[in-house]
């Protein structure tokens, strides 16, 4: 005697016999243990019939996928609203054991409410509503304990439109909650960062328009320079937001050409000195020749600018930029080091996330700079890491391959 079982077969999964023949897809049903004795199948009286063309299970054939293999929670009710399938993920999401759910009315086992506290089952009335309904789109509902879950449902009907099976899928809402929180953080950050420069621009332009003849040329120049600087700040913020959008969508456009990394570093340093930083705060260390680098010069400048600005803003002492061949001499490695307190080891994996800020600078910047740097480096097929610098402080090091021209 050989024994087999098929419990809660997954909808639309074909059955494959050991010899490789594929049989039509099975539908979800509750099938009890069966025994094969001398070629005859013995089942309990309440077992649903198995299609004749589906082969009997054998000891040498792997068991068919079951509802417990699904990543989402699955609850299936029969024509009488009794639960016939309650998989392992549904148990994890709801905290209800399958043994306590099977055979009971699904509305009693799984009470769901919307955001206003209304009973969702009474609102949709699965067995008494319109017979033309086939499914309910995904929506956020709440379990009895207050946990949020994403629910979608589908109907299987007979020829007369009566419900034969009502299938409910449950998904954890934690990921969507995190995404919504990130979007809310982005909106809040953008609003905060835009408010200050726009207030300044509005204030100075309104003052100049109203009292132009009361200011001398030097005063007018100071006001206009402030307006210009704040406009640049707004432009940079909008550029950051566009970069974030392109990185997340995988739509960064690369315009490669030969780039001299050492010269790009010198441009960034010259820009910082022109903006008021002391020239002796920066040191460039070029160690050996690097291969001909085909990179996007604008994006390389943005990478170096963000890393140097990060070192100036959050670090201390001399900012050292090292340019050298990579370990395999097939590309280049650039390190930006400062002499500040550095980044704690436990935070090293978080610095490239959106909205990350050092503990001492929670209110400064958008927290998007290093996230954008990582995206731009990876767009060049490179890698960026952070570690403790040899002299203390933080060291951001990125490597990029030599690349090739776009037309190659």
């Amino acid at each position: 005697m050989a024994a087999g079982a098929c419990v809660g077969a997954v909808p639309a999964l074909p059955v494959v016999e050991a010899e490789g023949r594929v049989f039509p897809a099975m539908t979800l049903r509750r099938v009890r243990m069966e025994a094969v004795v001398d070629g005859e199948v013995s089942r309990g009286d309440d077992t649903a019939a198995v299609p004749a063309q589906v082969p009997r299970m054998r000891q040498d054939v792997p068991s068919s996928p079951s509802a417990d293999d699904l990543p989402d929670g699955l609850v299936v009710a029969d024509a009488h609203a009794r639960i016939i399938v309650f998989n392992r993920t549904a148990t994890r999401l709801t905290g209800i054991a399958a043994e306590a759910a099977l055979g009971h009315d699904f509305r009693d086992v799984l009470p769901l409410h919307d955001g206003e506290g209304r009973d969702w089952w009474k609102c949709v009335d699965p067995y008494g509503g319109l017979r033309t309904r086939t499914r309910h789109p995904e929506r956020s509902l709440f379990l009895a304990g207050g946990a949020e879950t994403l629910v979608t449902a589908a109907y299987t009907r007979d020829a007369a439109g009566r419900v034969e099976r009502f299938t409910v899928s449950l998904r954890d809402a934690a990921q969507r909650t995190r995404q919504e929180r990130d979007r809310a953080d982005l909106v809040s950050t953008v609003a905060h960062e835009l408010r200050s420069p726009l207030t300044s621009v509005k204030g100075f332009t309104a003052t100049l328009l109203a009292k132009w003849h009361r200011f001398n040329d030097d005063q007018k120049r100071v006001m206009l320079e402030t307006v210009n600087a704040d406009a640049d700040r707004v432009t940079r913020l909008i550029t950051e937001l566009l970069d974030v959008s392109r990185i997340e969508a995988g739509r960064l456009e690369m315009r490669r050409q030969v780039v001299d990394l050492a010269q790009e570093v010198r441009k960034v340093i010259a820009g910082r000195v022109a903006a008021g930083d002391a020239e002796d705060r920066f040191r460039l260390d070029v160690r050996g020749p690097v291969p001909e680098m085909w990179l996007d010069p604008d994006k390389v400048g943005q990478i170096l600018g963000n890393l140097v600005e990060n070192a100036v803003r959050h670090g201390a002492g001399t900012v050292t930029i090292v340019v050298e061949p990579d370990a395999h001499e097939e590309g280049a490695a650039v390190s930006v080091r400062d002499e500040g307190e550095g980044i704690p080891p436990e935070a090293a994996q978080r610095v490239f996330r959106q909205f990350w800020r050092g503990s001492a600078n929670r209110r400064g910047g958008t927290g998007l700079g290093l996230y954008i740097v990582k995206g731009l480096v990876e767009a060049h097929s490179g890698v960026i890491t952070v570690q403790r610098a040899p002299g203390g402080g933080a060291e951001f090091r990125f490597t990029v391959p030599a690349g090739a021209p776009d037309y190659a």
Side-chain angles (χ1 to χ4, degrees):
M1 181 181 77
C6 181
V7 181
V10 179
L13 282 176
V15 178
V16 183
E17 197 182 25
E19 291 80 2
R21 291 182 296 169
V22 179
F23 292 82
M26 292 191 302
T27 54
L28 276 165
R29 55 172 51 75
R30 189 182 180 191
V31 181
R32 302 293 180 93
M33 296 295 294
E34 64 183 17
V36 181
V37 184
D38 298 328
E40 297 294 325
V41 179
S42 174
R43 304 184 182 88
D45 294 337
D46 60 344
T47 304
V50 179
Q53 68 269 31
V54 179
R56 298 182 180 89
M57 294 189 66
R58 303 173 182 175
Q59 287 183 327
D60 59 340
V61 179
S63 59
S64 300
S66 71
D68 285 338
D69 297 327
L70 293 173
D72 295 336
L74 182 67
V75 181
V76 181
D78 62 13
H80 304 289
R82 294 192 302 263
I83 294 177
I84 56 175
V85 174
F86 199 89
N87 74 346
R88 186 180 295 120
T89 307
T91 295
R92 178 177 61 82
L93 293 175
T94 64
I96 301 170
E99 294 78 7
L102 293 173
H104 295 83
D105 191 304
F106 74 93
R107 290 162 291 199
D108 298 330
V109 173
L110 191 65
L112 293 172
H113 298 84
D114 62 16
E116 299 179 4
R118 295 173 297 192
D119 188 326
W120 194 58
W121 301 130
K122 291 182 178 179
C123 293
V124 299
D125 191 12
Y127 289 80
L130 292 173
R131 295 191 175 188
T132 56
R133 294 180 300 178
T134 58
R135 62 184 296 271
H136 294 287
E138 185 178 78
R139 63 173 300 170
S140 176
L141 296 171
F142 296 89
L143 300 169
E148 184 179 9
T149 187
L150 303 177
V151 180
T152 185
Y155 298 87
T156 301
R157 301 180 182 274
D158 60 16
R162 292 184 294 266
V163 176
E164 288 185 336
R165 284 191 309 278
F166 183 60
T167 304
V168 179
S169 175
L170 307 173
R171 293 176 55 205
D172 192 348
Q175 178 63 23
R176 175 175 290 187
T177 301
R178 285 193 293 269
Q179 292 175 345
E180 291 177 350
R181 185 167 58 247
D182 287 345
R183 284 194 291 269
D185 288 343
L186 180 60
V187 171
S188 176
T189 299
V190 170
H192 174 76
E193 292 295 321
L194 285 175
R195 182 188 306 163
S196 178
L198 289 179
T199 300
S200 173
V201 169
K202 175 63 177 175
F204 279 118
T205 53
T207 301
L208 287 171
L209 288 172
K211 302 178 181 180
W212 177 264
H213 299 291
R214 296 186 183 183
F215 299 107
N216 59 37
D217 291 344
D218 290 338
Q219 291 173 324
K220 293 174 183 176
R221 183 178 183 83
V222 169
M223 291 184 182
L224 290 174
E225 287 177 346
T226 303
V227 169
N228 183 63
D230 286 331
D232 288 342
R233 181 177 168 187
V234 172
T235 301
R236 285 196 302 271
L237 177 59
I238 293 174
T239 301
E240 284 186 353
L241 295 176
L242 291 174
D243 287 337
V244 168
S245 175
R246 294 187 184 110
I247 289 170
E248 290 182 340
R251 292 188 289 105
L252 278 175
E253 295 183 1
M254 306 294 292
R255 295 179 173 85
R256 294 178 182 270
Q257 62 188 63
V258 176
V259 171
D260 183 341
L261 285 173
Q263 185 60 31
E264 291 297 323
V265 173
R266 293 187 183 97
K267 290 180 183 178
V268 171
I269 293 175
R272 299 296 309 186
V273 172
D277 291 327
E279 185 174 359
D280 60 0
R281 187 172 182 186
F282 304 97
R283 185 169 72 90
L284 172 61
D285 184 2
V286 180
R287 300 177 180 177
V290 299
E292 184 178 79
M293 305 297 296
W294 285 85
L295 309 171
D296 186 316
D298 292 336
K299 292 179 175 57
V300 168
Q302 192 174 354
I303 292 168
L304 293 171
N306 279 3
L307 291 178
V308 171
E309 181 180 1
N310 183 77
V312 170
R313 177 181 295 180
H314 304 297
T318 302
V319 177
T320 302
I321 303 98
V322 179
V323 179
E324 59 187 338
D326 66 4
H328 305 289
E329 297 187 352
E330 297 176 351
V334 180
S335 302
V336 179
R337 304 167 180 169
D338 63 63
E339 298 174 350
E341 297 180 359
I343 296 173
E346 63 273 11
Q349 299 301 319
R350 303 196 302 269
V351 296
F352 297 109
R353 295 179 182 176
Q354 291 185 31
F355 312 117
W356 186 87
R357 301 181 183 91
S359 58
N361 295 279
R362 290 292 183 184
R363 296 183 180 275
T366 61
L368 297 174
L370 293 177
Y371 173 81
I372 293 171
V373 165
K374 182 174 184 289
L376 296 178
V377 169
E378 291 178 347
H380 286 88
S381 301
V383 177
I384 184 168
T385 59
V386 61
Q387 59 190 8
R388 188 164 184 80
E395 176 183 348
F396 287 88
R397 177 183 176 87
F398 69 90
T399 59
V400 287
D406 294 332
Y407 51 81

